[in-house]
Amino acid sequence: MSTLAITDLHVSVQTDQGTVQILNGVDLTIKKGEIHAIMGPNGSGKSTLAYAIAGHPKYQVDSGTITLDGENVLEMSVDERARAGLFLAMQYPVEIPGVTVTNFLRTAKTAIDGEAPPIRTWLKDIRTSMANLRMDKVFAERNVNEGFSGGEKKRHEILQLELLKPAFAVLDETDSGLDVDALKIVADGVNRAKETTGLGIVLITHYTRILRYIKPDFVHVFVAGRIAEQGGPELADRLEAEGYDRFLTPANVG
Ligand SMILES: Nc1ncnc2c1ncn2[C@@H]1O[C@H](COP(=O)(O)OP(=O)(O)OP(=O)(O)O)[C@@H](O)[C@H]1O
Ligand SMILES: [Mg+2]
């Protein structure tokens, strides 16, 4: 059983005002096939955790470990992490001018698999996945995320997820900005990916709405750079009803 394990992770960033400590000892273990929802107030460090897993150079890991089946992820480059099976759908996907969706996906797939995908099945796979996500064919020839609406960017992230078939995916607010129909389509995409590949998922979200479609096995509450509480799906309902007040002591605000 494949496992992504994070222990006592401390992460900081350098800013013009000096070092800012963001993660203060995160412990999280995800097994393949499990869905973990992470909820928590704005600025509590959820995206920072996602970036630290993906290897964003801005985020300095000061201590703690991230391992994938016992292998040290922190020693891997961003590319190596992707090849090892880690995938991040970003909260704010970036535009890549001059690179079409088709070329981007093919390059990514080739880099991850170590060989180019066979052209015929690959084109069919792209067409099928785009149809599943109700993405118009014209997106294949558009530049990555350039002029995409918020919801279109999120669908493109799930298109990557479907085609790249990672072992573990971190989905950072993939539900934000989606209309009701798109939410269902994106959730179906995630569930399909889980059924076909059995991947493990970390789903960062502010809303229980998506958790009605993507059923979490565990819910974690992120506060001030660490996990303050964890539980089952019922915890998400409680957070929606009560908010985060009971976690926000003067010591851990901001
Ligand atoms: N590059 C950076 N430079 C300065 N501060 C940063 C940087 N990245 C993150 N931070 C700070 O770290 C804290 C955590 O940010 P992060 O984006 O991880 O929060 P979040 O939990 O994802 O919030 P949200 O729910 O609003 O997306 C914030 O106070 C943020 O301003
Ligand atoms: Mg965030």
Side-chain angles (χ1 to χ4, degrees):
M1 180 59 77
S2 203
T3 305
L4 177 65
I6 298 162
T7 52
D8 201 22
L9 194 70
H10 289 71
V11 172
S12 60
V13 286
Q14 303 301 325
T15 71
D16 294 344
Q17 286 74 43
T19 306
V20 180
Q21 192 67 38
I22 306 179
L23 299 187
N24 302 299
V26 177
D27 290 298
L28 184 64
T29 299
I30 305 127
K31 295 202 168 71
K32 253 193 120 178
E34 289 178 351
I35 298 179
H36 294 248
I38 295 184
M39 307 184 82
N42 291 135
S44 54
K46 303 179 300 296
S47 293
T48 300
L49 174 65
Y51 282 133
I53 295 171
H56 191 303
K58 178 101 188 149
Y59 296 87
Q60 155 96 31
V61 175
D62 299 314
S63 61
T65 61
I66 305 179
T67 59
L68 178 58
D69 297 333
E71 298 284 323
N72 184 356
V73 170
L74 296 174
E75 277 180 357
M76 299 179 194
S77 65
V78 173
D79 292 23
E80 284 166 345
R81 293 180 199 210
R83 278 199 293 277
L86 297 177
F87 175 87
L88 169 63
M90 286 188 285
Q91 184 172 0
Y92 303 107
V94 291
E95 297 185 0
I96 314 182
V99 179
T100 64
V101 166
T102 305
N103 282 340
F104 171 77
L105 290 171
R106 187 172 164 78
T107 305
K109 185 75 177 165
T110 304
I112 284 169
D113 290 359
E115 59 182 2
I119 193 80
R120 192 176 285 232
T121 50
W122 174 243
L123 289 176
K124 191 168 144 282
D125 288 350
I126 291 192
R127 271 198 299 271
T128 308
S129 291
M130 287 184 76
N132 285 340
L133 292 164
R134 309 277 195 286
M135 290 179 79
D136 193 285
K137 285 196 291 290
V138 299
F139 279 93
E141 296 315 316
R142 282 180 62 174
N143 291 337
V144 173
N145 289 322
E146 219 176 34
F148 285 23
S149 76
E152 288 162 357
K153 286 181 183 169
K154 299 292 175 172
R155 287 185 210 209
H156 177 245
E157 298 289 298
I158 301 305
L159 178 65
Q160 293 171 49
L161 175 77
E162 284 211 46
L163 292 165
L164 301 179
K165 304 191 191 317
F168 289 95
V170 180
L171 309 179
D172 193 355
E173 297 198 23
T174 298
D175 53 335
S176 68
L178 295 180
D179 66 42
V180 210
D181 295 334
L183 182 77
K184 183 83 172 53
I185 290 165
V186 159
D188 285 348
V190 173
N191 288 329
R192 220 170 17 248
K194 197 193 146 191
E195 268 161 38
T196 49
T197 68
L199 83 169
I201 296 169
V202 178
L203 186 73
I204 299 172
T205 183
H206 286 292
Y207 307 105
T208 51
R209 209 172 55 146
I210 194 168
L211 304 179
R212 288 207 287 274
Y213 301 115
I214 304 173
K215 295 267 176 250
D217 300 295
F218 304 94
V219 174
H220 310 269
V221 189
F222 223 79
V223 181
R226 54 202 302 278
I227 290 171
E229 189 169 318
Q230 37 206 342
E234 72 290 343
L235 180 55
D237 295 326
R238 184 167 174 206
L239 294 171
E240 182 140 284
E242 298 177 4
Y244 298 110
D245 267 6
R246 70 190 165 96
F247 298 104
L248 299 174
T249 61
N252 64 20
V253 172

